[in-house]
Amino acid sequence: MRISWLVAQRELLERIKTRSFISMAIVGPLLVLLITYILFVLGGNDKSNWKVLIADPANIMEAKILANNNGSISYDFANNYVQLEEFENGKRFQKYDVLIEVNEKILINKTAYLFYREKPNFSTSMTMQFQLERRLEEVLAERFTKMTVQDYRRIKQPLTVGFRNLYDPKNESTTLDSWVGFFFGGLILFFILLFGMTILRSVSSEKSNRIVEVLLASVKPRQLMLGKIAGIGIAAIIQLGLWIIIVSFGLFVIRETLFPDMLDASKWDVAKMAKEVQNMTFQQQLNRSYGYNSFVELIYDRIQFDNMLFYFLIFLVAGYIFYGTFFAALGATSGSENDGQQFIIPIVLLLLIALWAGYYVLNNPESSLSFWFSMLPFTSPMVCMVKLAQGYNPGEGYQLFVSFGILVISSLLTLRIAGRLYTNGILQFGHRLRLNQFVKWLRNG
Amino acid sequence: MEILQLENITKSFFQKIAVDDVSLSLKEGEIFGLLGPNGAGKTTLIRIINRIVTPEKGIVRFKGDMMTGKSLAQIGYLPEERGLYKTMTVYDQAMFLGRLRRMSKSDVNSSLNFWLDKFEIGSWKNKRIEELSKGMAQKVQFICAILHQPNLLILDEPFSGFDPVNVELIQNELISMKNDGKTILLSSHNMKSVEDICDRAALIHQSKKILDGQVVDIREERKDGRFAIKFKGNMLGFANALWAGFELVEHIEHGNNRHTAYVKLRGENTFQDLLKVLLGQIEIESAWEVLPSMQQIFIDLVKRTA
């Protein structure tokens, strides 16, 4: 263990001293922030006016929604049930773009459904969700508590809004929360690929510069492989930690400086607003601010970060070890630094399948294929993040632990198999890697 | 006392035998040469000693006990295919390799300083390997192999790539280590070095050991009774001086009336008798008994068993 740790330390130091590591740690998250900013600045208005009908038969919202309507979205209320077919074809509903169904169950399950004729863009979706949720907070705080809305917001459960196509209402929900899961899963795959390639390069360069034989006189091949995977893995986690810190801080800074929370009543300057309210730029800003702040709120409040980050980390580590062993074995068995390139394709293909599986589960959370994707170690690091964000059905929470268990056992198994390939291949130089060699080296224990 | 014993070592790779029933033993404080043509199995044997490769059959003993992972801390290894991390400094490299050999940080530090000073390369300490020339990097590799003051040092082709000055430097260092009681196993194609510094040697050919013994004895056993006389004078005079008791077998003319003649003794005649008959006839510059070179023995044996 001590020896593996020494190898890991060396790898770690070598990684974090490189310029590419430092630039990735800074440029990567800045790029994420820039894309987020552009998404909200440029992607603000795809359609200038959205007419929304809120079907509220129980009159929960009392025909009120945020007092300062921002202009691009206007709301009407119906105090009766509106059938989807009726909304789809009825003449009097044709002027509405969106139907939001708020029934009495919302007080219990905190879920509302939004049916659209044409899909609103991200910013508009967020604004609708934000406005609906704010009004519901007021109602809930007033009806069921003696708290102020501000206090209630601190303890409330988030509202889930299922965005569904009116013409395909059975389609399973792809809520924003699920996309957050997809983002996390994608991040795992991205880091596996990025640092898996680092493992591959590191092993093959040790082979090509022949230091490996000097090392093998003091280190067992498996120790060397483990140390290498661990060192590069720690570098990956440090990189990721920097990303999270910079992105979180950046989002906060953007919120405080570029998109101040105009909806927070405590910050309103009534006199100033009266002047500015006529101004179109102010209206646009307000609109963006709605979208952005709901997004930031989603990041800060809606995601159960302690929970999500914990599972994200353990799936990242297990998934990284699982795939990392393939990269290490490939590096050890290749005859030259470029030799392993062709064999990367199957691994990258597996990662792409995992990405696709995540998207599939996003859209089909209840299908049996989704279940199997969540169990397969190749796809589970991605799929489990999506499923976790979607929320496991009551009584099915154990599936997450089964998936993780399978992933850990598979990782141990691949460590063993890769260790054998590593041991047999690491001192073979100058050959062209062929598939039958893998089989030979696997058999030769 | 024997420091290393190999007993009936056999190893094959995918049905191809690399080492076939080889037994060897190395005594403390000797330099042992491991000779053999390319592909004979020398490197595999060395890897077995270093526990990089596991033999199918046979036992490796270190200081009388079974070789274990811990024994490796007393072994230094400089492989034929050697390298260093190019972006690391000499100091970091030595620290990493020394720590892998279970040395403490302060031990690595003091040992590294000692060797850098000894080789007069103290200024390289904080240089990255990629900044050094090939010869400089080889010196660093050698230092890394002996940093932990191993009792047994295994060198696979240590002189390849070195210039003559550095070959001498390394040879002198090996002799000095031997005088300090260290044992050195040397695998080399450089037969001159083997003759010069090895006490004993073994020849591996086609995976088998075909010769083993003291270098002097090996050469003595294969001598063919020839003596060489280097002289100044007339070659005819030299030939006339020889009578029936001697046979002139070869003659090399160096110019300026200088020659080297190779002579075999006949009957009961001795080297002294030969010198006696030549004295006064020619001006003898030097005379010696011709022993076959290790290179000649190596080639003869390999050809014979081919």
Side-chain angles (χ1 to χ4, degrees):
Chain A
M1 207 61 204
R2 179 188 157 273
I3 297 281
S4 291
W5 177 234
L6 283 172
V7 176
Q9 276 178 312
R10 199 206 71 80
E11 285 294 336
L12 177 62
L13 283 176
E14 184 163 311
R15 297 303 135 220
I16 60 178
K17 274 183 189 168
T18 58
R19 275 192 204 145
S20 62
F21 182 90
I22 297 162
S23 51
M24 265 296 279
I26 296 167
V27 175
L30 287 182
L31 217 63
V32 171
L33 287 171
L34 186 71
I35 291 167
T36 312
Y37 178 74
I38 289 171
L39 193 74
F40 283 96
V41 172
L42 301 180
N45 289 308
D46 56 340
K47 184 171 164 162
S48 55
N49 285 302
W50 287 84
K51 282 193 74 69
V52 180
L53 179 66
I54 299 179
D56 182 13
N59 199 21
I60 292 167
M61 299 180 69
E62 297 165 349
K64 285 182 199 162
I65 196 152
L66 274 169
N68 59 328
N69 214 337
N70 75 15
S72 68
I73 307 170
S74 57
Y75 295 94
D76 282 333
F77 290 86
N79 288 334
N80 56 329
Y81 286 101
V82 177
Q83 297 298 320
L84 283 183
E85 271 182 27
E86 198 187 341
F87 183 77
E88 188 184 336
N89 302 317
K91 268 190 182 171
R92 63 195 177 108
F93 294 115
Q94 288 309 307
K95 60 180 177 179
Y96 294 109
D97 303 298
V98 172
L99 168 70
I100 298 177
E101 218 174 55
V102 178
N103 56 33
E104 58 278 1
K105 283 183 194 161
I106 199 168
L107 301 176
I108 302 155
N109 63 15
K110 308 286 181 300
T111 303
Y113 288 99
L114 184 151
F115 300 92
Y116 52 81
R117 290 182 200 277
E118 185 188 329
K119 195 171 184 179
N121 74 356
F122 185 66
S123 172
T124 310
S125 309
M126 292 304 307
T127 307
M128 288 178 194
Q129 181 170 346
F130 185 81
Q131 291 177 334
L132 182 66
E133 191 165 5
R134 287 293 165 274
R135 174 61 191 142
L136 281 169
E137 279 164 8
E138 287 172 8
V139 173
L140 293 166
E142 193 184 306
R143 273 204 201 172
F144 299 105
T145 72
K146 289 177 181 170
M147 285 186 245
T148 61
V149 177
Q150 279 76 10
D151 285 343
Y152 174 73
R153 282 174 74 176
R154 291 195 191 109
I155 61 156
K156 61 152 191 178
Q157 277 187 326
L159 174 76
T160 305
V161 177
F163 285 81
R164 291 185 179 182
N165 190 333
L166 179 65
Y167 307 106
D168 183 19
K170 292 280 177 193
N171 190 16
E172 299 293 346
S173 67
T174 58
T175 63
L176 276 165
D177 294 19
S178 311
W179 278 104
V180 169
F182 187 81
F183 173 75
F184 273 102
L187 210 58
I188 290 181
L189 297 186
F190 174 69
F191 271 81
I192 285 174
L193 181 65
L194 190 68
F195 286 90
M197 291 296 288
T198 311
I199 296 175
L200 175 75
R201 272 199 304 274
S202 172
V203 175
S204 23
S205 81
E206 265 177 13
K207 264 189 92 165
S208 67
N209 75 16
R210 303 292 197 260
I211 181 83
V212 69
E213 189 153 358
V214 178
L215 298 178
L216 289 177
S218 343
V219 186
K220 285 183 187 150
R222 274 174 214 267
Q223 286 177 320
L224 186 60
M225 187 179 84
L226 262 180
K228 196 166 280 295
I229 292 175
I232 294 171
I234 295 168
I237 287 172
I238 291 174
Q239 173 92 242
L240 195 71
L242 289 170
W243 276 48
I244 289 171
I245 291 167
I246 296 174
V247 169
S248 310
F249 183 70
L251 285 176
F252 178 75
V253 169
I254 290 176
R255 178 159 93 152
E256 291 300 308
T257 54
L258 300 173
F259 297 109
D261 191 348
M262 296 178 189
L263 305 170
D264 187 346
S266 64
K267 290 181 183 167
W268 285 359
D269 177 344
V270 180
K272 195 180 167 199
M273 277 185 70
K275 280 184 197 168
E276 286 181 338
V277 79
Q278 301 302 323
N279 186 330
M280 259 319 279
T281 321
F282 176 76
Q283 285 293 333
Q284 281 169 356
Q285 253 186 10
L286 195 63
N287 192 24
R288 276 183 218 145
S289 180
Y290 266 132
Y292 186 77
N293 283 316
S294 350
F295 176 72
V296 173
E297 192 202 59
L298 175 83
I299 300 292
Y300 283 109
D301 301 336
R302 296 283 301 278
I303 301 166
Q304 296 178 332
F305 265 105
D306 43 353
N307 200 23
M308 194 79 186
L309 274 181
F310 171 74
Y311 287 109
F312 169 74
L313 265 180
I314 61 170
F315 271 94
L316 172 68
V317 171
Y320 165 78
I321 294 173
F322 179 75
Y323 275 101
T325 54
F326 289 106
F327 283 103
L330 187 57
T333 46
S334 54
S336 64
E337 257 184 272
N338 299 325
D339 193 30
Q341 305 289 342
Q342 53 174 328
F343 286 91
I344 294 172
I345 297 167
I347 306 179
V348 174
L349 214 62
L350 281 175
L351 288 168
L352 285 175
I353 290 170
L355 191 72
W356 175 80
Y359 186 74
Y360 177 84
V361 174
L362 196 77
N363 292 300
N364 308 282
E366 304 299 334
S367 79
S368 61
L369 190 57
S370 295
F371 170 79
W372 289 112
F373 276 146
S374 75
M375 292 298 153
L376 274 175
F378 296 99
T379 48
S380 66
M382 170 85 216
V383 170
C384 284
M385 285 298 104
V386 177
K387 283 188 84 88
L388 197 67
Q390 285 170 337
Y392 279 88
N393 292 332
E396 289 179 356
Y398 72 93
Q399 285 179 8
L400 182 67
F401 300 102
V402 175
S403 301
F404 184 66
I406 292 172
L407 182 60
V408 169
I409 292 166
S410 310
S411 301
L412 293 175
L413 204 70
T414 52
L415 262 179
R416 206 177 155 73
I417 294 168
R420 183 173 284 194
L421 280 171
Y422 196 97
T423 308
N424 288 319
I426 194 77
L427 287 173
Q428 308 292 327
F429 305 106
H431 57 278
R432 272 188 66 81
L433 188 58
R434 293 189 198 289
L435 208 60
N436 60 355
Q437 271 163 324
F438 275 120
V439 181
K440 256 186 187 178
W441 287 335
L442 267 177
R443 281 186 187 161
N444 191 36
Chain B
M1 187 192 162
E2 277 154 342
I3 189 166
L4 183 75
Q5 289 163 286
L6 307 183
E7 295 170 14
N8 311 104
I9 301 291
T10 300
K11 175 72 188 175
S12 57
F13 295 103
F14 311 118
Q15 276 112 43
K16 186 177 177 294
I17 292 185
V19 177
D20 189 5
D21 199 28
V22 171
S23 299
L24 282 179
S25 68
L26 271 71
K27 295 187 182 78
E28 270 182 12
E30 72 172 356
I31 301 180
F32 191 96
L34 191 61
L35 316 175
N38 291 333
K42 301 186 301 288
T43 299
T44 304
L45 201 61
I46 286 175
R47 285 178 179 169
I48 288 170
I49 298 168
N50 279 295
R51 291 172 62 88
I52 296 171
V53 171
T54 317
E56 278 142 31
K57 261 173 59 187
I59 297 168
V60 182
R61 290 184 199 279
F62 185 76
K63 290 185 171 176
D65 298 322
M66 294 290 280
M67 171 82 90
T68 63
K70 281 186 180 169
S71 319
L72 291 175
Q74 295 185 56
I75 297 177
Y77 178 38
L78 185 67
E80 180 182 10
E81 299 277 12
R82 49 190 175 254
L84 295 165
Y85 292 109
K86 291 192 176 87
T87 54
M88 282 175 99
T89 62
V90 172
Y91 173 81
D92 288 342
Q93 196 104 216
M95 185 56 76
F96 174 59
L97 294 173
R99 299 275 288 137
L100 287 183
R101 292 283 190 184
R102 298 172 194 276
M103 291 175 82
S104 71
K105 281 183 185 175
S106 60
D107 285 350
V108 176
N109 219 355
S110 56
S111 182
L112 177 66
N113 287 336
F114 170 80
W115 286 109
L116 289 177
D117 289 345
K118 189 162 190 183
F119 284 175
E120 297 172 343
I121 52 174
S123 58
W124 300 359
K125 194 173 175 180
N126 293 313
K127 281 199 169 159
R128 287 200 307 276
I129 299 300
E130 60 195 355
E131 295 175 82
L132 305 180
S133 71
K134 194 182 170 195
M136 288 156 107
Q138 281 178 323
K139 274 187 190 170
V140 176
Q141 284 158 348
F142 182 74
I143 289 175
C144 288
I146 55 175
L147 204 59
H148 57 300
Q149 297 175 319
N151 288 318
L152 171 63
L153 179 61
I154 300 171
L155 308 168
D156 198 354
E157 295 295 344
F159 308 115
S160 67
F162 271 117
D163 60 41
V165 177
N166 281 328
V167 167
E168 196 184 353
L169 182 86
I170 300 293
Q171 278 188 359
N172 290 342
E173 199 46 56
L174 295 180
I175 290 166
S176 151
M177 287 174 75
K178 174 193 152 183
N179 292 339
D180 289 343
K182 311 286 187 194
T183 309
I184 294 146
L185 174 62
L186 188 76
S187 159
S188 182
H189 285 132
N190 186 335
M191 295 297 156
K192 185 76 177 65
S193 300
V194 174
E195 274 175 25
D196 288 349
I197 63 171
C198 287
D199 302 302
R200 290 198 303 136
L203 177 61
I204 310 281
H205 182 48
Q206 291 175 344
S207 317
K208 290 192 164 86
K209 185 180 81 177
I210 56 171
L211 179 72
D212 182 5
Q214 294 277 347
V215 171
V216 178
D217 292 346
I218 291 171
R219 297 180 69 196
E220 278 283 337
E221 283 163 14
R222 282 158 185 78
K223 67 184 179 186
D224 58 357
R226 287 192 306 159
F227 291 86
I229 314 289
K230 194 173 177 192
F231 65 93
K232 196 174 176 185
N234 193 330
M235 188 60 212
L236 199 60
F238 179 91
N240 287 338
L242 299 176
W243 42 282
F246 307 100
E247 179 192 351
L248 178 65
V249 288
E250 200 183 343
H251 157 236
I252 298 166
E253 193 171 342
H254 303 298
N256 262 352
N257 222 16
R258 280 195 161 85
H259 309 266
T260 301
Y262 293 89
V263 177
K264 272 192 173 179
L265 308 179
R266 281 183 181 154
E268 297 296 308
N269 287 308
T270 64
F271 189 32
Q272 278 79 2
D273 295 333
L274 174 65
L275 294 176
K276 272 182 206 164
V277 299
L278 292 173
L279 281 172
Q281 306 296 324
I282 49 166
E283 192 182 321
I284 297 174
E285 288 182 332
S286 58
W288 65 94
E289 184 177 18
V290 177
L291 293 176
S293 67
M294 284 304 286
Q295 173 141 344
Q296 195 53 52
I297 295 167
F298 178 93
I299 292 168
D300 286 349
L301 278 170
V302 168
K303 276 186 181 165
R304 206 181 302 159
T305 49

